[in-house]
Amino acid sequence: MALRIHEAWILLFVIPGLVTPAAINHEDYPADEGDQTSSNDNLIFDDYRGKGCVDDSGFVYKLGERFFPGHSNCPCVCTEDGPVCDQPECPKIHPKCTKVEHNGCCPECKEVKNFCEYHGKNYKILEEFKPSPCEWCRCEPSNEVHCVVADCAVPECVNPVYEPEQCCPVCKNGPNCFAGTTIIPAGIEVKVDDCNICHCHNGDWWKPAQCSKRECQGKQAL
């Protein structure tokens, strides 16, 4: 019995020696969180608080020094509490501005609209133009186009005509009116048939002519 006990003790000392370091799989024993991040402990960042200021590119400025941090176009002053940047009250951009630059601390207008747009065409300020024979327009300083439409008078004839490039109709043959279906000139009496003499109303050219019957030539012949 004593021999068996002695052999058991020998096995206990021999078996641990058979387990080599290569036989241990590190994946079975995950490292602690502290061990995983220990590799980052060697990265030490300089602390410039109270000593200077750093811009976006990593450049260091001394206390009291003016600089542009990169995220702002306005100058900043390096203080112990960090950059203190100017916040000026920038002028308002003109509503007619068509090109704005943001290179400086305040946006700056580089181009102002100095023309009017009307029906696909551009006109200079105070320029007058006629988009149609009956319209007179002008490009105002406000970049708006103001137009007036001609108010044509009532023509003094029953057969007015429209000439090219003219807004209002014209009476090429002078004032006239209708006597039945016949057009007679104004200002004179016209014998429209054997029994009727007609003339136009004064000023009322759109009204039918005034006619009076006379002794018919046919009756005299009888």
Side-chain angles (χ1 to χ4, degrees):
M1 178 64 70
L3 179 59
R4 293 180 178 178
I5 295 175
H6 180 70
E7 292 174 351
W9 277 105
I10 294 174
L11 291 174
L12 290 175
F13 284 101
V14 172
I15 291 174
L18 297 176
V19 181
T20 62
I24 299 176
N25 189 350
H26 291 282
E27 294 181 356
D28 297 335
Y29 300 92
D32 294 336
E33 184 177 356
D35 296 336
Q36 292 178 346
T37 58
S38 61
S39 60
N40 296 329
D41 294 342
N42 295 327
L43 299 178
I44 301 176
F45 296 94
D46 294 333
D47 187 0
Y48 293 100
R49 288 176 295 182
K51 304 176 184 178
C53 302
V54 183
D55 64 7
D56 293 352
S57 62
F59 193 85
V60 180
Y61 295 87
K62 298 179 182 179
L63 295 178
E65 193 172 359
R66 294 175 65 86
F67 69 102
F68 294 88
H71 64 276
S72 173
N73 288 324
C74 297
C76 302
V77 177
C78 181
T79 68
E80 293 184 355
D81 297 327
V84 177
C85 303
D86 294 340
Q87 297 294 332
E89 185 175 351
C90 297
K92 294 182 178 180
I93 298 296
H94 198 283
K96 300 179 185 178
C97 185
T98 58
K99 184 178 180 181
V100 181
E101 287 188 358
H102 299 274
N103 297 328
C105 183
C106 291
E108 184 178 359
C109 180
K110 291 296 183 180
E111 185 176 338
V112 178
K113 182 180 178 182
N114 58 354
F115 59 91
C116 300
E117 297 181 13
Y118 190 77
H119 292 177
K121 294 183 179 180
N122 295 338
Y123 300 92
K124 297 179 181 179
I125 299 297
L126 300 181
E127 181 179 357
E128 297 182 355
F129 57 96
K130 291 183 63 176
S132 70
C134 290
E135 288 182 286
W136 283 266
C137 302
R138 186 175 75 166
C139 176
E140 301 294 342
S142 61
N143 299 117
E144 297 180 352
V145 174
H146 289 172
C147 300
V148 293
V149 180
D151 186 12
C152 296
V154 178
E156 297 181 347
C157 60
V158 295
N159 56 349
V161 295
Y162 287 86
E163 295 287 349
E165 302 301 324
Q166 290 189 5
C167 176
C168 298
V170 295
C171 296
K172 298 187 68 174
N173 298 319
N176 56 38
C177 65
F178 276 115
T181 58
T182 303
I183 298 177
I184 63 174
I188 59 174
E189 290 185 346
V190 178
K191 189 175 183 180
V192 296
D193 55 31
D194 293 338
C195 300
N196 294 293
I197 296 178
C198 303
H199 67 274
C200 297
H201 290 271
N202 293 329
D204 298 332
W205 316 113
W206 62 92
K207 293 182 179 181
Q210 289 180 329
C211 299
S212 59
K213 289 187 177 183
R214 302 289 177 90
E215 186 176 354
C216 300
Q217 293 181 354
K219 291 182 178 181
Q220 291 179 353
L222 293 176

